[in-house]
Each structure stands twice: as structure tokens, then as C-alpha cells.
Amino acid sequence: MKWNNKKTLSAVLILLLCAVALVVVAGCGGSTTTTSQASTGSTGAAQPTGEPVVIGAIVSATGPTAALGEQERNVLQMMEQLINGKGGVLGRPLKIVIEDDKSDPKEAVTAANRLIDQEKVVAMIASTGSPSTLAVKEITATKGMPQMAMAAANDVTDKAPADWIWRTPPKDALAVSKALDYVTNNLKVKKIAVLHDENAFGSSGSAEIEKDAPGLGLEIVANESYKTNDTDLTAQLTKIKGASPEALIVWGTNPGPALAAKNMKQLGMTIPYIGSHGIANATFIKLAEDAAEGVVLPASKLLVPSSITNADQKKVTDDFIHEYEVQFGGAPNPFAGYAFEAVSLLVNAINTAGSTDAKAIQSALNSTQNFWMPDGAYNYSATNHDGLVAEDMIMVRIQGGTWVLAQ
Amino acid sequence: MNFEQFLQYIFSGITNGSIYALTALGFTLVFNATQIINFSQGQMVMLGGMTAIAFHGAGVPLWACFLGAVIVVVVISMGLEHVAVRPLLSKGVLAQIIATVGASFVFETAAMIIWGRQALALPAFSGERPIGVAGATVVPQTLWVVGLTVVIVVALQIFYRRSLFGKAVRACAVNPSAARLQGISYRKVVLFSFALSGAISAAAGVMITPISFMSYSSGALLGLKGFAAATLGGLGNPVGAVAGGFVLGIVEALGVGVVSAGYKDAIAFVILLLVLFIRPVGLLGARVVTRQ
């Protein structure tokens, strides 16, 4: 059959194309690994010997949260070499086995089971996004294995079982309390309005604001919502404008908050715009352009490294940024920082515990005090697995297309 | 709600409504010739916007971005007809509709791979300085979108009612076999309808990006709202599609004003259901397009 031949031919062509693409991708991945290996290994410390200490890591290197996960994977690879260059863990080499969950909780579960059953990992670093992190948490809690989380949803540490999970990023509730603190103490206003995304991030942020506001003497005069891909928000903003608030808090991730900023400008609304940490990225500035100017938002100190005043924190941050720039050629984003902190805290706990026994690592993590990292001093305890406090975040203002300290 | 606010809700409704109307027109054109609901219509709009952004990023002037995006999406739309719709002609309309659902996933995933996850922007055609009317404001880009909608509807009316080929398209909608017996090439009419619907969708995408940004995932919501607008106005009638779009947009905006933004979609869809209960063919739907 003639058409059948044609079809087979095109199928073969497509397969060939896929194969070529795969080779190219694999080639790139391979070459990064080799160059990074070549650039280290001469720090002069005692060579680690014996059986490696194996830590499992799950990041979202592909899929929707890949922009965050890629930097985390970079850092994990970098840290393995750095730590082994400095004598390893317990005198033994450190081995970090990295799995990609493709931003999918189901994949994260498969990866976690594989790491535990086949790689025999002693602890887990997982994962980039909150859904994957929460999925892996169920497994580590059942097995009694320490897990370092790099995701910010409140439920990661607020919801039981939380005995085996510790986190490095400031949780969403901290960002809310930081933003409300700015409204109360810096803007000194009483009447606020809330505009939030209807997704999990936006609505949990809005609920947190509703919960905290009365205690601070703040009155919420309007609370409106939108869908992530809504095409125009002037209706919501007209309603908010009608309630005459003195400041507007917008809780969501791009592109909604950028649209809100543009629409506010159109409506001639000049009240202060306070964003969430979800827009602490260049995308917001690029989308909202002029309308982004003057927007204030909570963020990690890594966004404005010059805001760090503590000497210990400054040193560890400068060293981290330097190492990252040497290896990867650009500045690390806050997510790279979370991965750096996860490895550092975990390795410190294993060294303190003096063994790779899960219970020993658990009690070492729980007794971590004043451990300075780029995001602040981590203080874990049996009941507090968050480490950071609201004061570890900063409020930044967008000015001239970049971030400056607002407080 | 004072008058100033009321007017602003109307303007907000017109802004969203014109976006829905332009998307709805694409549904109408394909439905008119084939009885297919093209569920990748929203993604066509998205591809139009994203292609224009890509051209603009390469330093192409805005008007050329517009043209380029229209050409690219017309080719994609004709490709869709050729690859996914025509081979299923004998399998019936349902199979063809499902093929367009599949195509919508293909377009969305391809856009994510090519342009990434982030939303992207395009500059407004004639500045962003809002125009004030009795205390309410509207951005110039909205006038562009409304203007384009009107021009397209008038042109379509003339085409369908005055030109021979336009009449042939309508004949195919009424009865394909009878049309074929009159010497009308059904295949040509279908291909043409997909091309025209692609062109309008692309134009819509380029026009609305300066207002609302565009990301790989924008198409789904646009498609849903466009389909609702087309149904509300009466599937198959371009004037109805546009009327449906504006009614939907204004009802949503007033829904925000009177109740809350959380309920605006619910309010809009309740109105849609009510209209369909009372007038199953939609506001301006004509019985002539309903094939037996």
C-alpha cells in the first residue's frame, strides 16, 4: 500500500528526530557534570574513605516547576563535590542521588520508594513543589526517615505527621505576617483590601490574612478573587476602589498580580500595592513594566544580598554566591539557596549525630540552634520544624526595575 | 453602586466581552461549515498571541507581527483540518470534535516547550494612557479590540450574504449533500472555514495580549468563555457570537459588582443555562444552521 509506506517513512523520520534530540539533551547534561567535577577536588582536606553516606534528593528538574528545580539540582551536585573536598561526612564520602519528579507528586512517590528501597538512602531532600513534598512526606513519616523540604506551603510542617520533616524556605504564613507587619508599622494604615488568586497559593494566603488582620487592628474592607488566566481585573478593582481601602494586598503568582498592577494604573488607583513573595521574580517586573514601580513585597534576603547585616550570615551567603557563580556563571536564586540550606543542615546534623541512624539524625536536627544560613538563623526544635521566623524575611520595593529594601 | 462605578463595570465587561466575542467568532466559522465544535479554538488564540510575541522579540514591527502571527496560525489551522479533521470525515462529527480536543493538548504542550511556562507581554498598539469617560476609564487597546470585532462581523455578514462563495459556505452548513450536488466543493469550503477561523483567532490573540498577557495555558479559559459566548449568542451566527461575548462579559463584570468575583463564573453560566432553556438556539441563533 502506497500511503502505508509514506506513513512508515514519516514515523521513522519522527523517531529519528526524537533520537537526535535525546542525544543532544543527554550530551549537554553529561558535559555539565564532567566540567563541574573537573573544577573541584583540590581543597587539600583529608580524603574521605569507606562506604559512602547516601542521601536521596527529589527535585523538579522538568515540568512546570523546572525553573526552580534546575537550580536546586545544580546546587545539590555542587554541594556533593564541595563537601567531599572538605573531608566528606563522618569521614566517609557523601553521595547525593538526585531523582527528577517532573513536577508530579505521583512521580515523586515512585522516586522516593526507589531511593529508599534500592539506593538505601539515610535521609531525603524533597521536593521542589508543595504537592510533591506533601506526597513524599507520607512515605518518610511511615518509614521514620528524616526529610528536608524546600517547599513553602504551610501544610508541609503544620499538618501531622510532621515528626520527620524539616523545611528551609520561609513558609507562606511568615510572608503574610511580614507583609501585614509592614502595613501596620510602616504604612500605619487600618483599612486594607485583599485581591487573591483562586488557586491554592492565593486562597491559603487570603485565609491567613483574614486570620491575622483583626489581631493587628486591621479592617479588611474588601476581599476579591480572580482566576490565574483572567483577562481583565478592572471589575474586581472597581469594587475594591469603591470600598476605599488605604492599601491593597495582592496574593498570587504571575501573571495575575501584574495584570492587577496595570489595571490599578488604568483606574488611577494610587494606594500602596503590597504583593506576595510569589512575585519576587523578574517576570513580574517584565510583565507589569512601569506599573511594577513602587510595589512592595516580602522576600528572602538572597534577593537583596546587601540587606544581610549579621557577619556569620554574610559570610556563608557570600561564599555560597561565589561558589555558585564560579560553577554556573550566574547568581543563584532563592530556590538555589533553599537546596544549599537543606544539604548544609542535614550534613551538619549527621556530623553532630555521629551516625547515620535515623533517630540520631532526628534528634540532632531537632537540637539545631542558631545555624546561620543565607536565609537566616535556623532554630529547629521538637515542635518547631520551620527554622525561620518572619524577621528573617525582608520587605523590598520595586524601584527602577530592580529590588531595594523597603524598611 | 454609583453611576461612575456602574460605567466602569460596563467598560470592564466590554473589555472582557470583546475578547470572548473574538474567540467566539472562530467557533462560529468552523461550526457553520462543518457542525464541528473546534475545542482547540482557545489554543489558536493563544498561538496567535505567542507567535506575535516571538516575532516582536526578534525585532519585527508590531503590524508585521500581527500579519506574521495570522499567517502562521492560518497554516496551523489548515494543518489541523488536513491531519485531524479530514481523515475522520466518514467517522462522523463526534470523532472530529474529539480530534480537536486532542489537538488542543498538542498545541498547549508545544507552546509550553517552545515558550516556557511564564506569561509574556506585548506592547499596546497605541499607548497605555487610559481614556476617561464620565469618571470611568478604558485603555486604547480595548477600542482596538472592539473595533476589530465590529470590522470582522460586518465583513463576515457581507461575505456570507453577498458573495457567491459565502453563499456556498452557508449552503454546506444547511445541507452538505445538496450543496455537493450543486457542484460546491465541500472539502474546499471546510478547509477555507478552518483557515478563516485560524486567521480571526490569531488576530484576536495578537489584539488581546497587550491587555491581558499570554501564556501557554491561557487558551483553555479563552476557549471555554468563547464557546459559552458562541452558544449564548446562537452557534453559527457571527452577530450572535459577538452579542453573546459582550453579554457574557458585561454580566460577569456586573456579577463582580453586585455579588463577588468568586461567583462571577457561576452567575454567567446560570444566565447561559437560562437562555438555553428559554431559547435553545441561543439569543440570535437561526434554525437554518441546524442540520437534521
Side-chain angles (χ1 to χ4, degrees):
Chain A
M1 278 193 290
K2 223 163 113 194
W3 64 268
N4 208 351
N5 280 337
K6 224 166 140 187
K7 250 193 177 161
T8 322
L9 189 67
S10 54
V12 168
L13 268 175
I14 289 169
L15 273 176
L16 265 174
L17 268 176
C18 291
V20 170
L22 263 178
V23 168
V24 171
V25 170
C28 292
S31 62
T32 10
T33 325
T34 31
T35 40
S36 56
Q37 263 164 3
S39 65
T40 49
S42 57
T43 16
Q47 280 292 317
T49 51
E51 276 288 295
V53 173
V54 188
I55 293 175
I58 304 169
V59 297
S60 307
T62 54
T65 32
L68 290 53
E70 264 173 34
Q71 287 222 355
E72 291 174 351
R73 186 186 54 191
N74 285 348
V75 168
L76 293 173
Q77 287 171 347
M78 175 182 100
M79 289 301 285
E80 185 187 82
Q81 288 144 23
L82 281 180
I83 289 169
N84 284 335
K86 288 176 186 157
V89 188
L90 304 171
R92 289 154 58 185
L94 172 71
K95 185 178 167 196
I96 304 179
V97 183
I98 305 171
E99 293 270 341
D100 175 14
D101 68 13
K102 306 184 177 75
S103 310
D104 178 358
K106 288 196 288 287
E107 296 274 347
V109 167
T110 314
N113 284 324
R114 199 191 81 79
L115 287 170
I116 293 169
D117 296 338
Q118 289 176 31
E119 301 287 344
K120 312 283 180 212
V121 298
V122 300
M124 194 85 82
I125 297 172
S127 174
T128 308
S130 294
S132 289
T133 305
L134 290 167
V136 174
K137 176 173 122 166
E138 298 298 327
I139 299 170
T140 53
T142 320
K143 304 249 171 182
M145 170 174 290
Q147 178 188 354
M148 300 301 297
M150 302 178 285
N154 295 334
D155 280 354
V156 170
T157 52
D158 285 359
K159 216 168 137 193
D163 288 338
W164 292 95
I165 191 161
W166 293 261
R167 91 163 96 213
T168 55
K171 68 173 171 183
D172 290 340
L174 294 189
V176 168
S177 78
K178 186 77 190 170
L180 290 181
D181 171 69
Y182 176 82
V183 170
T184 326
N185 296 322
N186 289 66
L187 295 177
K188 298 195 199 306
V189 298
K190 294 279 170 225
K191 281 158 67 179
I192 58 166
V194 180
L195 177 66
H196 67 90
D197 197 319
E198 282 169 22
N199 66 14
F201 177 76
S203 39
S204 93
S206 161
E208 202 72 31
I209 296 171
E210 295 267 6
K211 198 179 80 190
D212 291 358
L216 295 162
L218 293 172
E219 186 197 347
I220 299 173
V221 293
N223 188 342
E224 292 294 323
S225 62
Y226 64 88
K227 288 204 166 51
T228 308
N229 284 323
D230 263 355
T231 40
D232 178 83
L233 303 178
T234 50
Q236 283 91 327
L237 289 167
T238 303
K239 184 149 195 203
I240 286 170
K241 196 181 174 191
S244 33
E246 296 166 294
L248 172 63
I249 303 180
V250 181
W251 217 259
T253 45
N254 293 314
L259 194 54
K262 276 180 75 172
N263 287 167
M264 271 177 81
K265 212 177 150 199
Q266 180 200 330
L267 295 175
M269 291 170 77
T270 50
I271 55 170
Y273 177 127
I274 292 102
S276 72
H277 51 315
I279 57 168
N281 45 53
T283 309
F284 176 75
I285 299 177
K286 216 164 83 190
L287 288 178
E289 294 176 325
D290 292 352
E293 292 292 306
V295 169
V296 176
L297 54 127
S300 297
K301 285 187 174 161
L302 209 49
L303 200 64
V304 186
S306 62
S307 68
I308 298 172
T309 45
N310 178 287
D312 293 335
Q313 189 178 5
K314 198 165 168 46
K315 181 166 185 331
V316 71
T317 309
D318 288 346
D319 287 353
F320 168 57
I321 295 177
H322 174 74
E323 283 294 345
Y324 193 91
E325 278 173 347
V326 167
Q327 292 237 4
F328 305 106
N333 66 18
F335 301 97
Y338 303 152
F340 171 77
E341 289 157 347
V343 184
S344 306
L345 281 157
L346 188 57
V347 166
N348 176 60
I350 296 174
N351 277 329
T352 312
S355 90
T356 56
D357 175 60
K359 280 238 155 38
I361 299 175
Q362 182 190 37
S363 77
L365 273 170
N366 278 341
S367 56
T368 302
Q369 287 295 312
N370 241 359
F371 192 79
W372 283 102
M373 286 272 100
D375 276 312
Y378 283 81
N379 292 295
Y380 290 134
S381 73
T383 48
N384 173 14
H385 285 201
D386 285 319
L388 298 174
V389 288
E391 286 70 38
D392 288 317
M393 298 191 87
I394 47 170
M395 290 301 286
V396 296
R397 174 180 290 114
I398 297 170
Q399 201 172 302
T402 185
W403 303 279
V404 297
L405 266 186
Q407 271 174 321
Chain B
M1 194 193 299
N2 58 28
F3 177 73
E4 198 179 295
Q5 281 174 315
F6 176 75
L7 199 61
Q8 190 62 60
Y9 288 127
I10 300 292
F11 283 174
S12 174
I14 288 174
T15 306
N16 273 330
S18 58
I19 292 170
Y20 302 160
L22 274 179
T23 317
L25 276 174
F27 279 102
T28 300
L29 289 184
V30 169
F31 182 82
N32 244 348
T34 62
Q35 298 263 304
I36 297 172
I37 313 287
N38 178 6
F39 277 105
S40 61
Q41 206 70 56
Q43 278 72 23
M44 296 273 180
V45 176
M46 177 272 292
L47 285 175
M50 293 305 251
T51 315
I53 293 167
F55 280 126
H56 190 257
V60 178
L62 264 179
W63 62 268
C65 294
F66 184 90
L67 269 177
V70 168
I71 292 167
V72 168
V73 178
V74 163
V75 171
I76 293 173
S77 188
M78 287 166 80
L80 171 71
E81 194 273 338
H82 206 81
V83 174
V85 176
R86 186 176 299 182
L88 294 172
L89 200 59
S90 59
K91 299 273 191 282
V93 169
L94 189 62
Q96 293 171 311
I97 291 177
I98 292 169
T100 66
V101 175
S104 73
F105 293 122
V106 172
F107 293 149
E108 196 165 304
T109 311
M112 190 184 90
I113 291 167
I114 298 171
W115 291 290
R117 289 258 314 163
Q118 302 290 5
L120 300 167
L122 197 66
F125 288 20
S126 49
E128 304 220 3
R129 184 185 293 272
I131 301 161
V133 184
T137 54
V138 63
V139 285
Q141 191 68 24
T142 299
L143 302 183
W144 275 100
V145 181
V146 174
L148 178 76
T149 312
V150 172
V151 168
I152 289 177
V153 169
V154 171
L156 280 179
Q157 283 305 98
I158 295 171
F159 167 72
Y160 278 132
R161 305 212 174 268
R162 299 265 179 267
S163 76
L164 190 62
F165 193 63
K167 285 176 181 165
V169 173
R170 283 171 64 212
C172 284
V174 178
N175 191 330
S177 333
R180 246 175 264 165
L181 289 174
Q182 299 297 319
I184 297 170
S185 167
Y186 182 65
R187 288 191 162 187
K188 231 182 237 170
V189 165
V190 173
L191 187 62
F192 169 79
S193 298
F194 267 88
L196 194 58
S197 132
I200 292 176
S201 296
V206 185
M207 283 284 178
I208 69 177
T209 303
I211 297 179
S212 56
F213 311 123
M214 197 59 82
S215 80
Y216 80 99
S217 61
S218 301
L221 192 67
L222 285 172
L224 186 68
K225 293 293 172 74
F227 177 58
T231 320
L232 184 64
L235 267 172
N237 182 343
V239 180
V242 171
F246 283 114
V247 169
L248 191 66
I250 291 171
V251 164
E252 277 186 0
L254 289 174
V256 173
V258 178
V259 194
S260 163
Y263 295 102
K264 74 169 192 186
D265 291 342
I267 295 166
F269 281 101
V270 165
I271 301 244
L272 172 66
L273 284 179
L274 279 179
V275 168
L276 292 182
F277 271 131
I278 298 161
R279 239 188 102 76
V281 289
L283 290 175
L284 300 175
R287 263 160 243 284
V288 68
V289 296
T290 328
R291 201 197 291 171
Q292 298 307 312

